[in-house]
């Protein structure tokens, strides 16, 4: 069978899956694309015919999803307290500027056109434009205090980048003229296994050059850890004997001296050997297939640090009231939490965006499992209040990653398509990865993932995935490893959704997640598994999908509320956001709902 015939056959199979998934038989099946003209090495073995928005034509949920706000009612009925009064937290303060502010349309300051030489490397040309805008002064725009420098506009056409592109300054936007195949297409050329667009205040521009990528790509140098400086204020600690449940905004402390309303703080829950033993992670078995020992969980490795802001102080009871509820309980049977001033050790940037373009990775057309090419398409780290919007990625090993030192990132209206890698090995095909704090993925689509919507280990949360779809994933959506906390999966459709004990899987991933909420989600497979780590709760509400009778590891099952029947309101996230905005539905819809989708200038 020829490659073209194989593409047509695969395209028909995918089209049938999509029709089944969306229950929409009114549209014709997608047509496999013509062979790519980007370069000799770019291939699309399976693809969707893109509509004008860059989404598959069947992606009806990304038009105007039904208003989720009319039947919100009393949200206190959705708290579902457990025996320790742990309740579902308010997830509404996630994403760009806490989720209720429209992403700004930043003025264009530099324009770059496609090269006249179809074989030229455009890395330096695009990076120079980014650096030129990064050197411009910050200016305030809009009504919410955004300080930006400007946008680099890549005109419609094809750009070849042999290295990587780095944005390392506040207020710089990389914008194209459309995410369809006739828009702005940036091709990651060559055989370097590297992350492609890096938004990171700790990286120098020259790190993106071809030479540096050949020597540094995929090393720790390309994702340096940040950290917290010594506090300017005296440390304080949670009071002895006080249990702070998940969902609470009240933190009783020994002393409030030196702290004021508006201070940003770190609530550091220390790890302890007793806690690790109590949840059964002190003696993980080796892998049965190889006998390789699991990586032990240690107290030092499981210190959790939650970033919050003080919004009030009750001096009478010596209590901090914080903006975002706790997504992990603070149990007095373990060491008290330390609270200190939030000062990042290294520079962080904000108001950075990647928008309205298409990113494609070359790969060896003779090897559908080739891995010597683009890895993550976009990585955001040491970045706050930033976004990825209206971006399509194709043929990378993974998709869009808000990494561990990201905060308040919005990823919206994106498609991550047709990954190229070994299909079932670890560390690959992570399509939307929220591993920082206060991240938001909304109205997004992916196909052929291992993990459609994922978090990694020790994630302090909250994070939210809402109104998004994964098709033909060969593994699960959900927390992947080592105790991620406080994630909401809201109106997610995928093949499999798990929150479970993973024990020796990977290198000893153990308990994957705690204090998660699965709300009105749909999983097509019948082997879904939901389990609660000791001392915690996961809330599974309105979930449609089969539950496995044979979990990989025995553990207490999560309580299923309204199994196989969705409940009202349609969306917990949107209902909580509207409630926080005083019930102003139109404000939410116009600022961050379907009406607020980015509107770009037409192509010239």
């Amino acid at each position: 069978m020829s490659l073209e015939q194989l593409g047509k056959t695969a395209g028909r199979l995918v089209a049938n899956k999509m029709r089944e998934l969306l229950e929409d038989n009114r549209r014709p099946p997608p047509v496999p694309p013509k062979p790519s003209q980007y370069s000799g090495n770019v291939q699309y073995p399976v693809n969707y015919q893109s509509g004008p928005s860059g989404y598959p034509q069947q992606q009806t949920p990304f038009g105007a999803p039904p208003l989720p706000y009319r039947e919100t009612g009393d949200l206190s009925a959705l708290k579902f307290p457990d025996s320790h009064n742990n309740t579902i937290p308010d997830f509404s303060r996630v994403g760009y500027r806490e989720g209720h502010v429209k992403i700004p349309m930043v003025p264009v300051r530099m324009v770059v056109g496609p090269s006249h030489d179809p074989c030229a490397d455009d890395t330096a040309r695009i990076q120079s434009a980014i650096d030129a805008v990064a050197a411009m002064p910050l200016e305030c725009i809009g009504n919410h205090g955004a300080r930006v420098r400007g946008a680099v506009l890549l005109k419609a056409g094809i750009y070849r980048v042999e290295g990587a592109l780095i944005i390392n300054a506040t207020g710089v936007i990389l914008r194209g003229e459309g995410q369809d195949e006739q828009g702005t297409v940036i091709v990651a050329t060559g055989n370097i296994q590297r992350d492609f667009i890096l938004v990171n205040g700790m990286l120098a521009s020259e790190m993106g050059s071809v030479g540096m990528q050949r020597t540094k790509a995929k090393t720790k140098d390309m994702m340096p850890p940040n950290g917290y400086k010594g506090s300017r204020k005296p440390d304080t600690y949670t009071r002895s004997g006080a249990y702070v449940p998940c969902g609470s905004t009240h933190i009783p402390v020994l002393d409030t001296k030196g702290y004021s309303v508006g201070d940003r703080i770190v609530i550091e829950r220390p790890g302890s050997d007793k806690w690790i033993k109590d949840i059964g992670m002190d003696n993980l078995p080796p892998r049965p297939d190889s006998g390789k020992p699991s990586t032990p969980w240690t107290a030092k490795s499981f210190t959790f640090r939650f970033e919050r802001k003080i919004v009030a102080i009750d001096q009478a009871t010596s209590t901090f009231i914080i903006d975002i509820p706790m997504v992990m309980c603070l149990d007095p049977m373990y060491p008290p939490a330390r609270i200190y001033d939030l000062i990042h050790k290294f520079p962080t940037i904000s108001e950075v965006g990647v928008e309205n373009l298409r990113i494609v990775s070359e790969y060896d057309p003779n090897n559908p499992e080739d891995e010597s090419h683009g890895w993550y398409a976009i990585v955001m780290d040491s970045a706050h209040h930033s976004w990825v919007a209206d971006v399509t990625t194709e043929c990378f090993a993974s998709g869009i990653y808000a990494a561990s030192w990201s905060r308040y990132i919005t990823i919206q209206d994106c498609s991550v398509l047709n990954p190229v890698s070994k299909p079932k090995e670890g560390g690959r095909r992570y399509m939307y990865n929220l591993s920082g704090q206060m991240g938001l993925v909304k109205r997004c689509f992916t196909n052929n993932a291992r993990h459609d919507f994922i978090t990694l280990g020790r994630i302090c949360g909250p994070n939210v995935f809402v109104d998004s779809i994964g098709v033909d994933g060969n593994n699960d959506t959900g927390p992947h490893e080592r105790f991620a906390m406080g994630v909401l999966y809201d109106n997610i459709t995928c093949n499999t959704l798990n929150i479970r004990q993973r024990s020796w899987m990977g290198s000893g991933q153990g308990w994957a997640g705690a204090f998660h909420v699965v709300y009105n989600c749909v999983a097509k497979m019948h082997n879904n598994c939901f389990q609660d780590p000791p001392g915690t709760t996961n809330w599974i509400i309105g979930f449609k999908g089969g539950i496995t009778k044979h979990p990989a590891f025995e553990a207490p099952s999560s309580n299923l509320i309204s199994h196989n029947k969705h409940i009202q309101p349609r969306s917990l996230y949107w209902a909580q956001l509207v409630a926080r905005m005083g019930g102003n539905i139109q404000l939410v819809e116009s600022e961050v709902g379907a009406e607020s989708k980015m509107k770009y200038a037409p192509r010239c």
Side-chain angles (χ1 to χ4, degrees):
M1 182 181 290
S2 69
L3 184 61
E4 182 178 354
Q5 289 171 325
L6 179 62
K8 289 181 178 180
T9 302
R12 284 194 294 270
L13 289 173
V14 172
N16 292 334
K17 288 277 188 182
M18 286 293 293
R19 284 200 302 275
E20 244 179 72
L21 177 67
L22 300 175
E23 298 177 353
D24 184 359
N25 295 314
R26 294 172 298 173
R27 299 187 179 197
V31 179
K34 297 177 181 179
S36 169
Q37 300 301 311
Y38 300 142
S39 77
N41 289 332
V42 178
Q43 300 290 323
Y44 300 98
V46 180
N47 199 355
Y48 296 98
Q49 180 68 33
S50 296
S53 67
Y55 293 110
Q57 288 182 345
Q58 296 89 342
Q59 271 316 99
T60 53
F62 302 113
L67 286 174
Y69 322 122
R70 301 294 181 187
E71 301 178 39
T72 54
D74 181 7
L75 291 183
S76 64
L78 294 178
K79 290 289 187 180
F80 297 111
D82 67 10
S83 60
H84 294 284
N85 203 36
N86 294 298
T87 59
I88 292 176
D90 181 357
F91 287 96
S92 69
R93 290 184 182 271
V94 298
Y96 175 75
R97 290 189 170 252
E98 301 188 352
H100 61 272
V101 173
K102 183 182 293 188
I103 293 172
M105 183 55 63
V106 176
V108 173
R109 301 297 184 212
M110 294 285 291
V111 178
V112 178
S115 175
H116 296 297
D117 180 356
C119 297
D121 175 20
D122 295 307
T123 306
R125 206 159 56 91
I126 298 173
Q127 189 65 57
S128 294
I130 292 171
D131 293 345
V133 173
M136 295 178 180
L138 288 166
E139 299 179 0
C140 286
I141 64 169
N143 300 320
H144 301 286
R147 300 180 73 234
V148 302
R149 291 183 164 91
V152 174
L153 177 65
L154 302 183
K155 301 291 287 183
I158 297 167
Y159 301 78
R160 296 169 55 83
V161 172
E162 294 183 24
L165 300 175
I166 292 175
I167 305 175
N168 57 11
T170 288
V172 178
I173 283 73
L174 182 63
R175 180 183 301 150
E177 286 194 318
Q179 60 179 312
D180 59 313
E181 292 183 340
Q182 287 70 50
T184 297
V185 180
I186 309 177
V187 182
T189 60
N191 60 359
I192 305 173
Q193 188 186 99
R194 83 283 197 190
D195 301 325
F196 189 54
I197 297 179
L198 298 111
V199 176
N200 191 324
M202 295 172 62
L203 294 180
S205 297
E206 54 266 24
M207 295 291 282
S209 69
V210 177
M212 290 293 281
Q213 286 298 305
R214 288 203 177 277
T215 59
K216 296 288 187 180
K218 299 290 287 177
T219 69
K220 291 182 179 179
D221 293 338
M222 294 306 300
M223 196 170 294
N226 209 310
Y228 300 109
K229 283 184 178 180
S231 180
R232 297 169 300 190
K233 300 177 184 293
D235 291 355
T236 189
Y237 293 84
T238 50
R239 286 206 303 272
S240 176
Y243 184 100
V244 179
C246 173
S248 175
T249 56
H250 287 60
I251 313 295
V253 296
L254 294 177
D255 192 354
T256 64
K257 183 179 179 180
Y259 290 87
S260 305
V261 171
D263 285 347
R264 302 203 70 85
I265 58 173
V266 179
I267 302 171
E268 181 177 287
R269 178 202 179 273
S272 73
D273 292 334
K274 175 174 169 48
W275 176 73
I276 290 172
K277 183 176 181 179
D278 287 349
I279 65 171
M281 296 292 99
D282 56 325
N283 191 23
L284 286 168
R287 290 187 64 95
D289 52 354
S290 65
K292 184 177 180 180
S294 296
T295 302
W297 287 31
T298 63
K300 183 179 180 181
S301 299
F302 283 84
T303 291
F304 303 133
R305 298 174 179 90
F306 304 88
E307 294 189 11
R308 298 293 187 265
K309 181 171 73 174
I310 298 173
V311 296
I313 300 176
D314 185 339
Q315 299 289 0
T317 62
S318 191
T319 298
F320 291 149
I321 295 92
I322 55 177
D323 58 338
I324 299 172
M326 292 301 296
V327 293
M328 174 65 182
C329 60
L330 303 178
D331 193 324
M333 73 170 63
Y334 306 118
R338 173 187 170 217
I339 298 169
Y340 52 92
D341 204 18
L342 195 171
I343 312 170
H344 285 112
K345 192 176 290 186
F346 299 109
T348 62
I349 57 177
S350 61
E351 306 290 345
V352 176
V354 179
E355 56 190 43
N356 201 33
L357 47 78
R358 193 179 196 92
I359 315 170
V360 181
S361 177
E362 282 188 343
Y363 68 95
D364 181 353
N366 298 312
N367 180 9
E369 297 185 4
D370 179 29
E371 296 192 335
S372 296
H373 64 100
W375 206 253
Y376 273 106
I378 301 173
V379 179
M380 307 190 90
D381 204 18
S382 288
H384 298 178
H385 298 293
S386 298
W387 63 90
V388 180
D390 303 291
V391 169
T392 291
T393 82
E394 288 193 86
C395 303
F396 286 82
S398 289
I400 303 172
Y401 181 17
S404 58
W405 287 97
S406 67
R407 305 288 185 264
Y408 300 102
I409 303 298
T410 289
I411 302 167
Q412 68 178 36
D413 303 309
C414 293
S415 291
V416 176
L417 304 177
N418 310 322
V420 175
S421 71
K422 296 174 182 177
K424 296 186 178 182
E425 291 196 18
R428 296 149 172 85
R429 303 194 181 202
Y430 294 180
M431 310 308 254
Y432 295 94
N433 185 341
L434 293 180
S435 289
Q437 297 183 38
M438 286 73 78
L440 171 64
V441 168
K442 64 180 181 181
R443 299 190 304 265
C444 288
F445 175 81
T446 187
N447 71 318
N448 295 335
R450 285 192 71 246
H451 303 287
D452 315 82
F453 306 100
I454 185 177
T455 58
L456 298 181
R458 308 172 186 88
I459 308 308
C460 290
N463 289 290
V464 173
F465 299 92
V466 63
D467 290 334
S468 297
I469 291 176
V471 175
D472 291 339
N474 67 51
N475 210 303
D476 56 1
T477 278
H480 187 52
E481 57 160 321
R482 293 178 175 83
F483 219 85
M485 295 155 283
V487 182
L488 169 62
Y489 298 88
D490 184 338
N491 282 271
I492 297 299
T493 298
C494 58
N495 272 11
T496 308
L497 207 164
N498 291 323
I499 304 168
R500 58 175 174 156
Q501 165 70 280
R502 293 178 63 86
S503 187
W504 51 259
M505 289 183 173
S507 56
Q509 293 166 344
W511 284 110
F515 297 118
H516 283 43
V517 180
V518 172
Y519 189 90
N520 283 354
C521 293
V522 177
K524 292 298 181 179
M525 305 302 285
H526 297 286
N527 58 340
N528 306 283
C529 184
F530 303 107
Q531 297 171 320
D532 293 342
T536 75
T537 297
N538 292 305
W539 293 272
I540 316 302
I541 305 167
F543 171 73
K544 290 186 177 182
I547 304 298
T548 183
K549 295 180 180 178
H550 304 287
F553 305 98
E554 290 300 324
S557 296
S558 304
N559 183 31
L560 272 64
I561 302 164
S562 188
H563 184 210
N564 282 324
K565 183 178 180 181
H566 287 346
I567 71 168
Q568 290 294 331
R570 183 194 75 88
S571 164
L572 177 64
Y573 167 73
W574 289 108
Q576 287 180 333
L577 181 56
V578 168
R580 183 162 65 83
M581 293 293 101
N584 191 333
I585 297 167
Q586 188 52 49
L587 173 67
V588 171
E589 179 64 13
S590 61
E591 286 291 302
V592 293
E595 290 180 11
S596 74
K597 285 188 177 185
M598 304 285 282
K599 296 177 175 62
Y600 305 97
R603 297 173 197 163
C604 297

